Amino acid sequence: MQKRPRVVVSVGASVDGKVALTRNALLMHQPSSELWGSMTPPAPDSVAIDALELVSRQYGCNAVLEGSGSFVSESEIPDKLPAYDGDAPVLYTHFLPEDITNQPSPPHYWLTVVDSRGRVRWTEKHADWDVLVLVARSTPADYLAYLRRERVCYLVVGEERVDLTRALVALGTELGVSCVLSTAGGGLNGALLRAGLVDELHLTLAPALVGGLGTPSIMDGRPLAVGEAPTGLQLLSVQSDAGGSVRLHYALPESQPDGQL
């Protein structure tokens, strides 16, 4: 069995475990971004960390994982793409141009996004990172053709949905990734958890309560079956600051990966 990269989840939440203010208000947009930031009072001894820098130093991490929902809300209708009328089978192979994949790392890293439905439109280019989209054989050909035109790398890792285990193994074998930092929302993090793919958790709690039935939480996704045990955690460290924020660092037990999203 091929070894997958280490997966470290880093998430900020309210004390009641919410990672957003409402289900359809993206935190990268106003006024949600400002309101979310206001939940964390400034403190001279702040527990805030740069998680990517931390795991890069510790594990040589060079990939960040996000879900498409971090960029496009479920209620948003993406721009329509031109219809593709070429040779479809060639689209359903990995697209990894050498002039992009052979860049030195660090400082280069991958912004890796799970998007089997083809919802995110990519319009920005950055010097220190490149986008890598995780897609499936069910992903519309129009979207894969769009990614190729825009020279956005992608891995085909799943049939109806992205298979997270296959995706992580492909990140290691195709791109040499040894550690992935997930800064995703509750849906993707919950899928990683249920698949036994999470190795560590950095959880920073803001001194605030959000509430709300259906508001995204730290770990969403499939609920436990009746009689199924929760995942135990090993506390590695805990810190608090004068503003009331708390940072917790946990390790998770080893388990066998088996996940799709």
Side-chain angles (χ1 to χ4, degrees), residues 59-109:
Y59 302 118
C61 185
N62 64 335
V64 172
L65 182 65
E66 283 282 358
S68 61
S70 296
F71 302 91
V72 183
S73 71
E74 285 296 324
S75 61
E76 186 174 343
I77 300 176
D79 295 337
K80 186 175 177 58
L81 296 171
Y84 178 73
D85 59 0
D87 183 15
V90 72
L91 297 178
Y92 292 92
T93 58
H94 300 336
F95 181 64
L96 301 170
E98 288 187 0
D99 61 314
I100 300 176
T101 59
N102 288 343
Q103 296 184 62
S105 178
H108 179 271
Y109 74 92

Side-chain angles (χ1 to χ4, degrees), residues 50-69:
D50 184 332
L52 180 58
E53 180 181 354
L54 181 68
V55 295
S56 294
R57 290 199 313 265
Q58 189 170 5
Y59 302 118
C61 185
N62 64 335
V64 172
L65 182 65
E66 283 282 358
S68 61

